[in-house]
C-alpha cells in the first residue's frame, strides 16, 4: 500500500463498478428520453410511455470511424498548429511539465472547416451528426473505455508520478480514478488534450447540428436555440481562450487520468451537456424580448462570477507577487504557500462554482418550464458541484492540515455566500 493514504470516493471499490456500468446507461437513457422519435411526456399529466427501441440504432462502424477520426484530426492539429509553451504547477519531485497551448487556434480552424463544409453540403453533414448521435455516443463509450485500458496498462509499466486518489493498490478502483498523474506520449499530454479538445469542441459542433436539425424541421432557427448555442459556445471558447488556467485545477494537479476523466471528457460532456439544444431541435419555444433580456442578465451574472474568480485564482497561483494583486489579502500556511481570503475568494471557498451553476440555469431558461429534460443539466450539475466541492475540501484538509481549519473560519461559506 502506498505511503500516502486517501479516502475512497464514488462509493469505493464497489461503488465505482456501479458508476462505470451506470454512466453509459445514463447517456443512452437521456438520449432515448429526448430525440426526434420520442419525447418523454410529463408523468404527472400524461400516462407513462416508453420509447420503441426498434426505431434506434445504437452502433455503426461509420459512426465509430467518424468519432475516431475526430480525435485523430484534433491530435494532428495539436502537433502542427503553433502554440505557446507554458509550465505547469510544480510536481512532487520538484519538476514542472511543459504544455502546448493551441486549443483556441485549433478550435478556430475546426470552425472554419465546419463553416466551409456547411456551405458546400447545405448543412447535410450537421444533420447527419444529429441523426446519428446515438451511434456516436456509443462510439465515445467504446473509445473512452479502450483509452482507459491503455492508460492503466501503460501507467503500470512506467516509473512515473502516480496520482494519489488512483494509487491505492486496488486495480479496478485505480483504473477508474486514474493511476498515472500525467500520462504523456513525448510532450503530448493526454489528460489536458482530452480534457479540452475532442469532447468540449465536439459539444459545440453537436449544438450546431441541433440548430441545423431545427432548421430542417421548422424552416427556421428559434431565438431560444440561438441563445443556447451562443451561451454554450461562449463557455467552450472561454475555456479554450484561457486554456492555461486548467493547469491549476484539481483535474490536472490531483486527479489521475483514468476512466473517470476519460469517460467524462469524451462521452458525458458532448452527449449530455447539450440536452437543451436537442430538446429545442424538436420543440418550438417562443421567447419575448423581456424573456430574452432576463435570460441574458442571468448569463452575464454567472459569467462575471465564474471568469472573474477563476482569473483571480489562476493569476494568484501563477504569480502571487503580481502588483495587480497587491490589494488582495492572503493567509500564509505552513506549506509555504498562501490562501486568498479576500476578493472573489473571500466570499466563499468555491465561489467559481456558483458562477458556473448560475450559467447553467441560463442555458436551460430558453427552453421554458414545460419539460424536465432540458433542466437535467442544472439538476445534475448542482449535485456534481457539491460532490466536487466535498472532494476538494477533503483534499485541501489533508494538504493544509490545521491551516485549513483557520482558513475555513475566515471564509466560512462553501459555495453560496451567506447560504451554504
Amino acid at each position: 500500500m502506498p505511503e500516502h493514504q486517501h479516502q475512497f470516493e464514488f462509493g469505493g471499490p464497489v461503488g465505482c463498478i456501479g458508476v462505470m456500468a451506470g454512466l453509459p446507461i445514463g447517456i443512452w437513457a437521456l438520449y432515448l428520453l429526448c430525440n426526434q422519435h420520442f419525447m418523454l411526456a410529463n408523468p404527472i399529466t400524461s400516462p407513462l410511455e416508453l420509447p420503441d427501441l426498434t426505431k434506434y440504432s445504437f452502433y455503426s462502424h461509420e459512426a465509430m470511424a467518424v468519432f475516431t477520426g475526430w480525435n485523430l484530426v484534433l491530435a494532428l492539429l495539436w502537433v502542427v498548429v503553433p502554440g505557446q509553451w507554458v509550465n505547469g504547477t510544480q510536481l512532487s519531485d520538484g519538476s514542472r511539465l511543459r504544455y502546448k497551448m493551441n486549443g483556441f487556434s485549433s478550435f478556430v480552424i475546426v470552425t472554419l472547416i465546419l463553416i466551409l463544409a456547411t456551405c458546400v453540403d447545405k448543412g447535410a453533414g450537421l444533420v447527419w451528426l444529429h441523426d446519428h448521435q446515438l451511434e456516436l455516443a456509443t462510439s465515445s463509450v467504446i473509445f473512452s473505455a479502450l483509452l482507459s485500458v491503455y492508460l492503466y496498462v501503460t501507467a503500470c509499466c512506467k516509473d512515473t508520478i502516480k496520482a494519489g486518489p488512483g494509487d491505492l493498490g486496488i486495480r479496478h478502483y485505480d483504473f477508474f480514478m486514474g493511476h498515472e498523474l500525467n500520462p504523456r506520449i513525448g510532450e503530448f499530454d493526454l489528460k489536458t488534450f482530452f480534457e479540452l479538445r475532442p469532447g468540449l469542441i465536439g459539444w459545440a459542433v453537436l449544438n450546431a447540428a441541433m440548430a441545423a436539425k431545427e432548421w430542417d424541421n421548422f424552416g427556421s432557427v428559434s431565438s431560444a436555440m440561438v441563445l443556447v448555442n451562443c451561451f454554450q459556445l461562449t463557455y467552450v471558447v472561454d475555456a479554450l481562450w484561457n486554456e492555461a488556467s486548467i493547469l491549476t485545477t484539481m483535474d490536472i494537479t490531483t486527479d489521475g487520468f483514468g476512466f473517470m476523466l476519460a469517460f467524462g471528457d469524451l462521452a458525458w460532456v458532448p452527449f449530455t451537456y447539450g440536452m437543451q439544444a436537442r430538446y429545442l431541435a424538436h420543440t418550438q419555444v417562443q421567447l419575448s424580448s423581456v424573456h430574452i433580456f432576463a435570460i441574458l442578465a442571468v448569463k452575464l451574472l454567472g459569467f462575471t462570477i465564474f471568469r472573474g474568480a477563476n482569473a483571480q485564482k489562476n493569476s494568484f497561483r501563477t504569480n502571487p507577487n503580481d502588483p495587480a494583486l497587491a490589494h488582495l489579502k492572503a493567509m500564509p500556511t505552513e506549506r509555504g504557500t498562501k490562501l486568498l481570503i479576500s476578493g472573489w475568494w473571500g466570499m466563499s471557498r468555491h465561489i467559481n462554482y456558483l458562477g458556473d451553476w448560475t450559467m447553467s440555469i441560463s442555458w436551460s431558461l430558453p427552453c421554458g418550464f414545460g419539460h424536465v429534460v432540458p433542466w437535467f443539466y442544472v439538476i445534475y450539475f448542482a449535485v456534481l458541484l457539491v460532490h466536487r466541492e466535498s472532494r476538494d475540501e477533503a483534499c485541501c484538509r489533508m494538504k493544509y492540515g490545521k491551516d485549513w481549519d483557520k482558513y475555513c473560519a475566515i471564509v466560512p461559506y462553501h459555495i453560496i455566500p451567506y447560504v451554504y
Side-chain angles (χ1 to χ4, degrees):
M1 180 69 68
E3 293 181 2
H4 44 270
Q5 299 293 323
H6 289 268
Q7 295 181 342
F8 287 126
E9 303 177 54
F10 299 96
V14 176
C16 75
I17 295 175
V19 173
M20 286 189 283
L23 285 175
I25 296 174
I27 287 180
W28 293 321
L30 287 170
Y31 177 82
L32 292 173
L33 295 178
C34 177
N35 59 80
Q36 59 186 330
H37 302 299
F38 179 84
M39 188 72 68
L40 179 68
N42 188 331
I44 298 176
T45 59
S46 304
L48 178 64
E49 294 184 26
L50 296 176
D52 180 1
L53 298 183
T54 61
K55 294 182 178 180
Y56 301 93
S57 170
F58 283 79
Y59 175 80
S60 73
H61 293 318
E62 182 182 20
M64 190 73 217
V66 169
F67 187 83
T68 303
W70 168 248
N71 285 270
L72 292 175
V73 167
L74 289 172
L76 178 63
L77 290 176
W78 181 91
V79 173
V80 301
V81 176
Q84 180 184 6
W85 288 88
V86 302
N87 291 325
T89 58
Q90 184 172 310
L91 301 174
S92 58
D93 63 359
S95 66
R96 293 177 184 267
L97 296 174
R98 294 200 318 154
Y99 296 86
K100 187 178 183 182
M101 301 286 108
N102 64 356
F104 181 76
S105 300
S106 298
F107 171 76
V108 171
I109 293 172
V110 168
T111 301
L112 293 175
I113 293 173
L114 185 64
I115 293 173
L116 179 61
T118 301
C119 291
V120 172
D121 68 6
K122 308 301 182 184
L126 288 174
V127 172
W128 184 93
L129 290 176
H130 169 278
D131 293 346
H132 293 81
Q133 57 188 304
L134 183 57
E135 296 172 350
L136 290 168
T138 301
S139 300
S140 73
V141 171
I142 296 171
F143 190 98
S144 59
L146 293 175
L147 174 63
S148 301
V149 171
Y150 165 81
L151 291 168
Y152 182 73
V153 171
T154 55
C156 291
C157 297
K158 295 186 293 184
D159 182 19
T160 54
I161 297 176
K162 301 301 186 284
D167 189 26
L168 301 185
I170 304 172
R171 291 184 182 277
H172 71 279
Y173 183 78
D174 292 346
F175 167 84
F176 172 75
M177 295 298 296
H179 194 39
E180 187 175 358
L181 183 62
N182 305 110
R184 291 186 155 213
I185 301 174
E187 287 199 299
F188 180 55
D189 189 87
L190 295 171
K191 185 162 61 170
T192 54
F193 172 78
F194 285 108
E195 185 92 356
L196 284 176
R197 310 295 179 92
L200 205 63
I201 299 176
W203 170 23
V205 173
L206 284 174
N207 274 357
M210 302 306 117
K213 187 64 177 182
E214 185 186 30
W215 179 279
D216 197 49
N217 285 337
F218 304 115
S220 63
V221 176
S222 65
S223 57
M225 178 68 84
V226 171
L227 286 176
V228 168
N229 264 264
C230 288
F231 288 169
Q232 296 185 350
L233 180 62
T234 300
Y235 190 89
V236 171
V237 170
D238 176 71
L240 294 169
W241 180 263
N242 297 284
E243 187 177 9
S245 298
I246 195 177
L247 302 181
T248 59
T249 63
M250 185 179 182
D251 285 359
I252 306 303
T253 62
T254 305
D255 290 332
F257 192 32
F259 183 88
M260 177 181 70
L261 286 182
F263 187 92
D265 295 339
L266 288 166
W268 191 257
V269 168
F271 294 102
T272 67
Y273 281 25
M275 290 286 291
Q276 302 90 341
R278 189 193 306 161
Y279 173 78
L280 291 171
H282 307 286
T283 307
Q284 290 187 294
V285 176
Q286 302 297 326
L287 298 176
S288 68
S289 299
V290 174
H291 289 148
I292 293 174
F293 179 81
I295 294 169
L296 288 171
V298 174
K299 168 65 176 180
L300 181 60
L301 173 63
F303 184 78
T304 300
I305 298 172
F306 176 77
R307 177 43 49 206
N310 281 332
Q312 194 174 79
K313 176 187 68 173
N314 187 63
S315 298
F316 185 77
R317 286 183 175 179
T318 304
N319 182 15
N321 298 316
D322 186 343
L325 306 175
H327 65 287
L328 297 177
K329 296 179 181 179
M331 186 191 90
T333 67
E334 292 182 1
R335 288 175 54 88
T337 57
K338 296 180 180 180
L339 296 171
L340 279 173
I341 57 174
S342 69
W344 286 110
W345 298 94
M347 298 180 184
S348 75
R349 301 196 291 274
H350 301 276
I351 190 69
N352 56 330
Y353 291 178
L354 175 60
D356 215 349
W357 189 67
T358 302
M359 283 194 293
S360 76
I361 295 174
S362 74
W363 299 352
S364 294
L365 283 172
C367 301
F369 300 95
H371 206 293
V372 70
V373 167
W375 287 89
F376 161 78
Y377 179 76
V378 176
I379 300 168
Y380 150 78
F381 201 45
V383 176
L384 174 71
L385 290 177
V386 171
H387 175 259
R388 187 178 180 86
E389 181 268 336
S390 67
R391 290 186 67 218
D392 199 28
E393 288 278 315
C395 179
C396 289
R397 193 170 299 280
M398 182 184 301
K399 181 178 180 180
Y400 293 105
K402 294 180 179 179
D403 285 330
W404 189 252
D405 294 328
K406 297 177 183 177
Y407 170 70
C408 291
I410 298 172
V411 185
Y413 299 105
H414 294 257
I415 299 175
I416 307 175
Y418 306 105
V419 177
Y420 171 70

